[in-house]
Amino acid sequence: MINIVIFGAPGSGKGTQSELLIQEYGLSHISTGDVLRGQIAQQTELGKIADSYISNGKLIPDELMIDILDKVLDSMQDSKGVIFDGFPRTINQAEALDKLLAKRGASLDIVIGLEVDEDELIKRLINRGKTSGRSDDNLETIQKRLDVYHSQTNPLREHYIKKNIYKAIHGVGDVTKIFGEIKHAIDSL
Ligand code: AP5
Ligand code: MG
C-alpha cells in the first residue's frame, strides 16, 4: 500500500496531478475540497456548515475535517493506496493523518510539494474562475486562501522536511513534464 500526500498552495495543480497519478498507479483519491463541494451541492448539514467557510477562503474546523477523512478512509479499505489532495492543511490534521493511517496498519510514504510562485497561482485561479463556478475562485477569496495557506498550511512543509518525506517539485510549466518528475520521485521509493 502506498500513501501519497499531494501538497501545495491553491491552484498549484494538486487536482490536475492527482488525476494523472490515479491513471498511472490505480490509487484511490481523496480531495477534501471535492468532498465538501459535493456536500454543498447535496445541501447536507455538513454542506451548509462548509459553504460559508469555503466561500470565505477559510479552513473547515480540524475536528470536522478529520472525522470526514476517517469515514472516507473506511470506504477505501481494499485500496492499493491513497492520494491525499488538500489534506492535511494544518499540523493538527497532519498528526491526525498519521494516527488514522497507523490505525489501519499503514503510514505516509511521500509528500509531493508542488511549488509555484504566487503570481502564477493567482493567474491560474482567476482564469479557472471564468468557468469553474467555484464560489472561492474570485480575486478577493483567492487572496484570503493564499493568506490562510501561508499562515496555517505552509508550516507543514518544514514539518515534512524534518520527517524526511517531503519531495519538492517545481510546479510550473508543462503538466506532463511535472508529472514525470512526480512519477520519478514515487518510483524511487
Ligand atoms: P480545495 O478544493 O483543496 O482547493 P485549493 O487547495 O484551494 O486548491 P485548488 O483545488 O483550487 O487547486 P489545485 O491545487 O487542486 O490545482 P488544480 O489542479 O485545480 O479546497 C477548497 C476549500 O475547501 C478550502 O479553501 C477550504 O475552505 C476547504 N478545505 C479543503 N480541504 C480542507 C482541509 N483539509 N481542512 C480544512 N478545510 C479544507 O489547478 C488549478 C488551475 O490551474 C486549473 O485550472 C488547472 O487546469 C491549471 N493548471 C494546473 N497545472 C497547471 C500547469 N502546470 N500550468 C498551467 N496551468 C495549470
Ligand atoms: Mg483541487
Side-chain angles (χ1 to χ4, degrees):
M1 193 178 184
I2 179 164
N3 293 299
I4 302 169
V5 164
I6 184 127
F7 180 82
S12 58
K14 301 184 295 293
T16 305
Q17 296 297 333
S18 291
E19 286 306 319
L20 298 174
L21 283 167
I22 297 164
Q23 285 170 27
E24 179 77 23
Y25 297 99
L27 303 172
S28 302
H29 174 224
I30 304 178
S31 156
T32 40
D34 286 349
V35 171
L36 296 168
R37 282 184 290 276
Q39 295 288 319
I40 293 172
Q42 290 170 48
Q43 299 182 318
T44 62
E45 279 311 307
L46 173 61
K48 285 178 199 155
I49 298 170
D51 200 6
S52 67
Y53 285 99
I54 291 196
S55 44
N56 284 304
K58 293 191 179 141
L59 297 184
I60 273 73
D62 282 340
E63 315 77 68
L64 203 57
M65 210 61 248
I66 292 162
D67 206 38
I68 296 169
L69 199 84
D70 198 8
K71 294 201 178 87
V72 180
L73 276 176
D74 276 342
S75 69
M76 296 179 170
Q77 297 281 19
D78 302 323
S79 160
K80 283 165 70 182
V82 181
I83 305 162
F84 297 91
D85 160 1
F87 188 97
R89 275 171 133 97
T90 62
I91 297 282
N92 240 337
Q93 291 184 11
E95 285 166 355
L97 178 60
D98 288 342
K99 288 188 194 139
L100 292 177
L101 289 173
K103 189 163 103 176
R104 293 166 172 88
S107 61
L108 188 55
D109 297 283
I110 189 167
V111 176
I112 300 285
L114 294 171
E115 305 199 340
V116 177
D117 61 275
E118 194 139 323
D119 287 351
E120 171 74 11
L121 294 171
I122 295 172
K123 198 174 82 188
R124 287 183 190 178
L125 294 175
I126 294 278
N127 194 36
R128 189 180 63 189
K130 291 175 192 159
T131 53
S132 69
R134 272 178 59 161
S135 64
D136 56 351
D137 278 348
N138 58 78
L139 187 56
E140 195 188 342
T141 312
I142 291 167
Q143 204 59 62
K144 287 187 191 156
R145 287 158 69 194
L146 290 171
D147 290 347
V148 166
Y149 174 77
H150 288 302
S151 59
Q152 299 189 56
T153 306
N154 195 45
L156 283 177
R157 188 175 172 277
E158 280 302 316
H159 173 84
Y160 285 126
I161 288 174
K162 281 195 193 127
K163 286 183 160 251
N164 241 336
I165 54 171
Y166 186 85
K167 175 67 189 168
I169 301 282
H170 181 57
V172 182
D174 183 58
V175 168
T176 319
K177 185 167 171 284
I178 297 168
F179 181 65
E181 285 173 35
I182 295 176
K183 193 170 142 31
H184 179 73
I186 293 172
D187 293 342
S188 310
L189 281 174

